[in-house]
Structure formats: C-alpha cells, structure tokens
Amino acid sequence: MSDPITGLAHMLGQPFIQHALVAGTSIALLSGLVGYFVVLRGQVFAGDALSHVAYAGALAALAAGVDLRFGLFAATIAVGLVLGLLGGRRAADDVVIGTAFAWVLGLGVFFLAIYTTHSATGNSAANVNVLFGSILGISASAASTAAWIAVGLIALLLVLARPLLFASLDPDVARASGVPVRLLGPLFLAIVGATAAEASQAIGALLLFGLLAAPPAAAQRLTDRPWRGFVLSGLLSVLCLWIGVCVAYAAPKLPVSFTIMTTSTVLYAGVVLVTTVRWPAFSRRGGAARP
Amino acid sequence: MSAVLELDRAAVAVAGRTIWSGVSLQVQAGEFVAILGPNGVGKSTLLKAVLGLTPLSGGAMTVLGDRPGHVNGRIGYLPQRRAFDPNTRVRGVDIVRLGLDGDRWGVPLPGRLAGSAGRRARERVEEVIALVGAGAYAGRPIGQCSGGEQQRLLIAQALIRGPELLVLDEPLDSLDVTNQASVSALIRDVCRSQNVAVLLVAHDVNPILPYLDQVIYLAHGGAVMGPPEEVITADTLTMLYGTPIDVLRDRAGRLVVVGQPDAHAEHR
C-alpha cells in the first residue's frame, strides 16, 4: 500500500469500510449539526450527561434481552425530554446534573452485572462497544438503519432550526414573537438524546463529545454567521470521521474511535490556535454590515 | 388619534398575589410614554400583559384594537436583559434579521437561492440598521459590541417589522450616562419619524424627561397617568402612595423623588 490512491481504492472496496462510511457520515453530520446548537445554547454538559444515559440505556436493554438500540433511544430521548421540561435551559444546575448522571452511570454498571451473570453469551465486548464504539464492526443493516435515523433527525432539526436559533439567542423576544420556546427546549434535548444514541453506535457513549462539541466549537470560532457556522459544523464533523476511519484503516493497530477523537481534538486545537493568532485582524475585518 | 393601548380597570395577579388593579389608561398613536415607579410594583408585568404573556386577572385591555397577544407582530419588544455573553459569536445583523423571520420554521435559503424575498429581507435589515446608526458595528459578533451598541442593534431588531408600538423594558438601565442620552434621543427620533408609540419602563426618568408625552406612575397597586409635569409632583405622588413624598429639582433640572416607601428605588 505504498501508493495512496491504490490504497484508498482498496480501502473503499472493503464492505466493512463502506458500512462504516455510510453510518459514520450520516451520524457525524447529525452530530455536527445538532452540536452547533448544543454549543450555542451552552448545553455541552447536558449533552455529556445524555451520553451517560446512552450507556445505561444500552446495558439495560442488553440485560433485559432486547435490541440494544431500543434501550439506547428510549432512555436518551426520555431523559432528554425530562431534562428539558424540568430545567428550562439554565435552571438545571451542574450539581444536580452531575449527581444524577453519575448515578445513571452506576445504573449502567448494575445492568452490566446482571447482563454478564445471566446471559449465556454474556461478555464484556458489548460493554466495550457501547462505551467506545465499533464503527468498523457495524453490519450492513445496522448501517442503513443508523443512516435513515440520522436523515430523519437532520430533517427534523432543519425544520426547527430558525426558531431554535432565535430561542437560543434571545428567548424572551422569541417568545413574544410567537416562537414556542417552552416546547423547543425539551424537543431539542430529545433530539440531542437521540443523537447521543446514534453516535454511541459509531464512536461510543464516552467519546461522543469528539463529534458533538469539538467541530461545532471550531466552526463557531471560524465564522460568526450562524447558518454558515451550522453547515460548517456538520462538514467538519464528517471530515473528522473520514480522516479517523482512513487513519485507522492505514494503521490497523489504532482503534478507530481513538483516531476520530484525535482528529477532532487536533482540529479544534488548530482552529483555536489560528483564530487566536489572527484574532485582532479577524474582528476588525468584520466591521461593516453585510447581511 | 386612535388609542394603541387602552386599559379599563385592569388588574394582574401573579401566583395569586394581585400586583396592581383598577388601572385605567390610554396611550395614543405616536406617543412617547414612560412607566415609572419603585421596584417590584409590576412595571415589567404591565409590559408582559400588553404582549399577552401575562394574563389579566380583571378588567379589560385592548392593544392595537385587538386582544393582548394577538397582535405581537405589530409590536416591537425589547426585554429587560443582561448583555449578550461576550463569547456569543453571532453577528449583530443576524440578531436583527431574526426579528424579521426568526419565528418561521425551517432554515433561510442561502443568498441567491432566496430570490427577491431574500433581497427584500436583506434590504430591510440594512434599512433599520442605518436608522439606528449601527452600520459601523453590525457585522461584528454581538458579544463583542458594547452595551450601547447592543442596545441599538436590539432596537433595530424591534423595529424591523415596522411596528406601531414599541415596548421597551429598562433599555437605559445598563448604559453609561453618555449612552443613556444618545439611546434616549434615538428612541425619541424613532418615535417621531416612524410615528411609533413607545411604552418604556424606566428606572430613572431624567434621561428621557424632555421627550416624554405621558408618564404612567405605578405604585401601591395602582397607577396615575398624565403629562410628566402633572404626575411627577409632590401632590400627585403623595396622593398615590398615601405618605408624604417630595419631588426635588436640581440645578440641571433633574428630578429626584424623595420618600418613596420602597427603599430599593433610591439606592439603585
């Protein structure tokens, strides 16, 4: 594999890579787009909490002997809704979220114990997959299901996007203009929950943040136009996934979740560095109004 | 002249406690009206009632000839606020634009695809930004604009749909003296040139005193309305509060109300 083009063609010919790219691209795009609003609304911690819920939900499903994805989605969407209904967006405080979700993670360990003692095939591979992802091991049918769910969630997000932007930046005025602010909050956290469930399958519950926070944060440093930032966030997230998958293929010793996380971390660090150095020029240049 | 706002023995209760009651008043088209009074008397609540966000517990209210909450598209609203987070990396123009179509579902189409409707929207955004004189900094992230600059952009946002009534909750509160004067003058200009009625909650009447047509003074669960020179007097306020109140005037003509029962009002 000395020639990169041949190597790439060879890689794309592999079915497991095709599945990984189909599922991964759609999940990464979803994560990047949803993440833009997560970062804008300052809900990174709530999103992190939902990834713990994803872990506990998946293991609860395994312990109960049902499809793991059912547990993932049911738990994350339900908790996302509850979090949104309880909190409003600033009210749910850090200590409450932190305590509740450490306990949820504890529940996950509890379900893991049930699963490993009562299941005939019980092993810790499923546990590791939920925690750290298994995108290179995803089946053709699981890949297409994941892709369709991602497409559906993206479509829903696009419908909500403009009122959600308004409600995120300026909730009082948005509410007076007729935006259903109190409905959007819980609905958005339910979408974040479903995204956490999706991304758990690709990169794992614990590493979700590589795609949900780093690319959006990078995009918001690169542009101050909201819709450009929104699209850029999705594209950067996809880019991180592709680079991660390629590197993991070229260096099979490296786990793919590690290479994706490393890419997104390097991307964010690089963008912070570049925008910080260029910052004075950056803010002066944007002086004139160009709507 | 037609009334843009009419209250008839209106009352509001929040969580079972009556905030004010028996309030009757009229605001005419194009009038500049300040709502004054000590903290906690329900000045902001009055604005929320006008917007239909807080229901009346008694009496009646007509806003632009309709029920409150039904005509918010014809009202520009500036809530009481803290400044935007300095890290908010969204341009002022985008904030202004949300006032035009932020309540519509979906996403705006990019530049050329949006066609003539998109062009009209962009022109309207430029127009109101020019009207408030925010052109120099509207392209900057709003988090990096000063308090006065943010306030001008938000006034542009409130004006973008060409409202007949502007509802402003303490727009001068977080500003320094120079900006208080210039934003007050801007609101007066907008009020006169666009013939917009302005309903403005103020903590300190002095920056806007020369521009006011009417004053609504809320205190002790009731209200008095009239021209400032009739309302902000020792006699009227003494009657409203039921305890002796003095209104002093310093050499610059600034009014100071002394003896209001709410101690907060004097120290802030």
Side-chain angles (χ1 to χ4, degrees), chain B residues 3-12 20 23-27 35 42-72 75 165 167 199:
Chain B
V4 291
L5 175 67
E6 196 165 358
L7 275 73
D8 183 18
R9 283 161 291 157
V12 156
W20 38 256
V23 173
S24 298
L25 51 87
Q26 271 197 0
V27 175
I35 303 172
K43 300 186 296 271
S44 299
T45 311
L46 177 55
L47 298 189
K48 288 195 173 127
V50 169
L51 292 163
L53 300 175
T54 301
L56 289 187
S57 60
M61 179 187 308
T62 315
V63 186
L64 299 170
D66 207 331
R67 283 196 291 148
H70 286 233
V71 282
N72 285 8
I75 302 177
L165 173 63
V167 169
L199 202 56

Side-chain angles (χ1 to χ4, degrees), chain A residues 149-251:
Chain A
I149 293 174
V151 168
L153 288 170
I154 290 170
L156 179 59
L157 183 67
L158 288 177
V159 170
L160 301 182
R162 182 161 40 190
L164 186 62
L165 180 72
F166 200 2
S168 305
L169 290 169
D170 212 344
D172 293 329
V173 180
R175 187 161 160 246
S177 314
V179 174
V181 174
R182 286 179 185 167
L183 186 76
L184 279 179
L187 196 56
F188 176 66
L189 278 180
I191 294 176
V192 176
T195 305
E198 275 277 277
S200 292
Q201 301 171 60
I203 53 171
L206 290 189
L207 304 180
L208 174 66
F209 265 73
L211 295 184
L212 203 63
Q220 285 182 19
R221 292 195 73 114
L222 287 172
T223 175
D224 45 30
R225 299 175 182 225
W227 301 112
R228 209 174 271 187
F230 180 61
V231 173
L232 184 63
S233 173
L235 296 180
L236 287 178
S237 180
V238 170
L239 184 71
C240 288
L241 184 114
W242 282 350
I243 293 176
V245 168
C246 291
V247 171
Y249 182 78

Side-chain angles (χ1 to χ4, degrees), chain B residues 165-187:
Chain B
L165 173 63
L166 261 188
V167 169
L168 313 171
D169 200 348
E170 304 212 358
L172 308 175
D173 215 33
S174 55
L175 305 180
D176 58 42
V177 176
T178 319
N179 271 311
Q180 281 190 348
S182 66
V183 171
S184 302
L186 167 68
I187 296 169

